């Protein structure tokens, strides 16, 4: 019922303008000249376009994934990604029996640096701090920024004593580094080795306690498993 007027209109247009013959004539005129070229071009260009689009999309996704796990200021891992890695490393250590240690450290009196020199200078200190300690981070360890001026180093395949030595090297590196200020920049460190059956949260809590002791005992020092504390 509703289609009858449409069909009638098409028939009238065809009679008036000879539309069907015009359309078929146009197709006949390009068939020999352009149709093969158009089809060939589409067969070549379309897959190439799809490939380039897919490659670009893949790179965009990789960039987003990388940014999601990276601290935007310093370029090291952020807290969320570091905790994911720490959880996995704790599980792996319990399964394999291999040692795992954790170093938590922060810059001493960093708020004073921000208040005295301004936040842009504080940001520059953070960036240089990461570059400085990054020289001593092994390829199979993980450095992360987990707070404003607080950092974490997940030290794989390493017991507490060796991790304490690594922390001491980091401390000395920071202490002797020139940050372009009229005062020295130092850092305090807490070190712990994963215990049998211990969770990642307990390991972090114990390491945070040792960092607190390091700061309470005067800062610019390392407190590790051999410090005679829990």
């Amino acid at each position: 019922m509703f289609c009858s007027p449409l069909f009638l209109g098409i028939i009238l247009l065809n009679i008036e303008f000879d539309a069907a013959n015009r359309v078929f004539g146009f197709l006949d005129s390009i068939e020999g000249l352009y149709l093969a070229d158009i089809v060939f071009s589409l067969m070549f260009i379309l897959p190439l376009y799809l490939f380039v689009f897919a490659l670009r999309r893949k790179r965009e996704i990789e960039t987003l994934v990388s940014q999601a796990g990276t601290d935007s200021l310093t370029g090291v891992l952020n807290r969320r990604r570091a905790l994911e890695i720490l959880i996995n490393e704790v599980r792996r250590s319990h399964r394999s029996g291999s040692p795992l240690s954790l170093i938590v450290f922060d810059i001493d009196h960093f708020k004073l640096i921000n208040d005295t020199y301004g936040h842009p200078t504080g940001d520059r200190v953070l960036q240089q701090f990461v570059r400085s300690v990054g020289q001593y981070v092994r390829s199979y360890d993980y450095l992360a920024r987990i707070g404003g001026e607080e950092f974490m180093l997940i030290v794989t395949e390493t017991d507490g004593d060796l991790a304490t030595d690594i922390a001491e090297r980091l401390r000395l590196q920071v202490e002797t580094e020139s940050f372009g200020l009229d005062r020295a920049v130092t850092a305090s460190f807490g070190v712990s080795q994963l215990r049998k059956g211990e969770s990642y949260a307990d390991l972090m809590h114990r390491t945070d306690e040792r960092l607190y002791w390091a700061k309470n005992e005067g800062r610019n020092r390392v407190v590790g498993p051999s410090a005679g504390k829990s």
Side-chain angles (χ1 to χ4, degrees):
M1 177 178 178
F2 295 103
C3 294
S4 298
L6 179 61
F7 287 137
L8 181 60
I10 293 173
I11 292 171
L12 291 175
L13 285 172
N14 186 49
I15 292 172
E16 179 69 23
F17 298 105
D18 195 19
N21 287 334
R22 290 174 182 272
V23 171
F24 287 121
F26 174 72
L27 292 175
D28 287 340
S29 69
I30 69 170
E31 182 178 4
L33 297 175
Y34 304 112
L35 193 56
D37 294 336
I38 292 173
V39 172
F40 176 78
S41 298
L42 288 175
M43 290 175 62
F44 175 76
I45 294 174
L46 186 59
L48 180 61
Y49 172 79
L50 291 175
F51 173 77
V52 172
F53 176 80
L55 183 61
R56 180 178 179 182
R57 187 59 180 162
K58 178 176 178 292
R59 289 177 178 173
E60 289 175 349
I61 292 173
E62 289 175 345
T63 300
L64 289 173
V65 170
S66 174
Q67 291 175 344
T70 303
D71 176 61
S72 59
L73 177 64
T74 61
V76 297
L77 298 173
N78 60 25
R79 183 182 181 88
R80 182 190 63 80
R81 181 59 182 148
L83 290 180
E84 291 175 354
I85 293 173
L86 181 61
I87 291 170
N88 290 332
E89 289 297 328
V90 165
R91 290 172 178 168
R92 187 179 67 83
S93 178
H94 286 321
R95 285 196 308 267
S96 65
S98 59
L100 173 70
S101 294
L102 184 66
I103 303 173
V104 176
F105 54 104
D106 67 14
I107 301 174
D108 297 327
H109 302 296
F110 184 72
K111 184 178 183 303
L112 183 60
I113 293 175
N114 271 336
D115 292 344
T116 303
Y117 304 98
H119 288 277
T121 297
D123 289 345
R124 181 182 59 77
V125 169
L126 286 170
Q127 292 168 334
Q128 185 175 345
F129 180 85
V130 167
R131 289 195 299 270
S132 183
V133 301
Q135 303 174 66
Y136 294 94
V137 175
R138 303 172 302 182
S139 61
Y140 44 88
D141 295 336
Y142 301 93
L143 177 62
R145 182 186 180 198
I146 59 175
E149 70 274 22
E150 189 172 5
F151 296 84
M152 171 193 293
L153 182 61
I154 302 171
V155 194
T156 64
E157 306 291 338
T158 303
D159 63 23
D161 290 337
L162 181 54
T164 301
D165 291 341
I166 292 173
E168 181 61 26
R169 287 201 295 271
L170 299 182
R171 188 195 67 79
L172 287 172
Q173 173 62 27
V174 174
E175 183 183 40
T176 57
E177 176 88 3
S178 174
F179 287 85
L181 307 178
D182 56 3
R183 53 168 295 160
V185 174
T186 61
S188 301
F189 297 76
V191 185
S192 295
Q193 180 178 342
L194 181 69
R195 294 171 177 171
K196 185 176 181 180
E198 187 176 38
S199 69
Y200 85 93
D202 290 337
L203 175 63
M204 284 193 65
H205 177 71
R206 192 154 47 84
T207 312
D208 281 336
E209 282 188 335
R210 288 175 174 166
L211 172 59
Y212 171 78
W213 294 332
K215 298 178 101 41
N216 195 47
E217 293 173 4
R219 294 182 169 84
N220 191 24
R221 66 190 64 228
V222 176
V223 174
S226 60
K229 301 181 180 181
S230 63

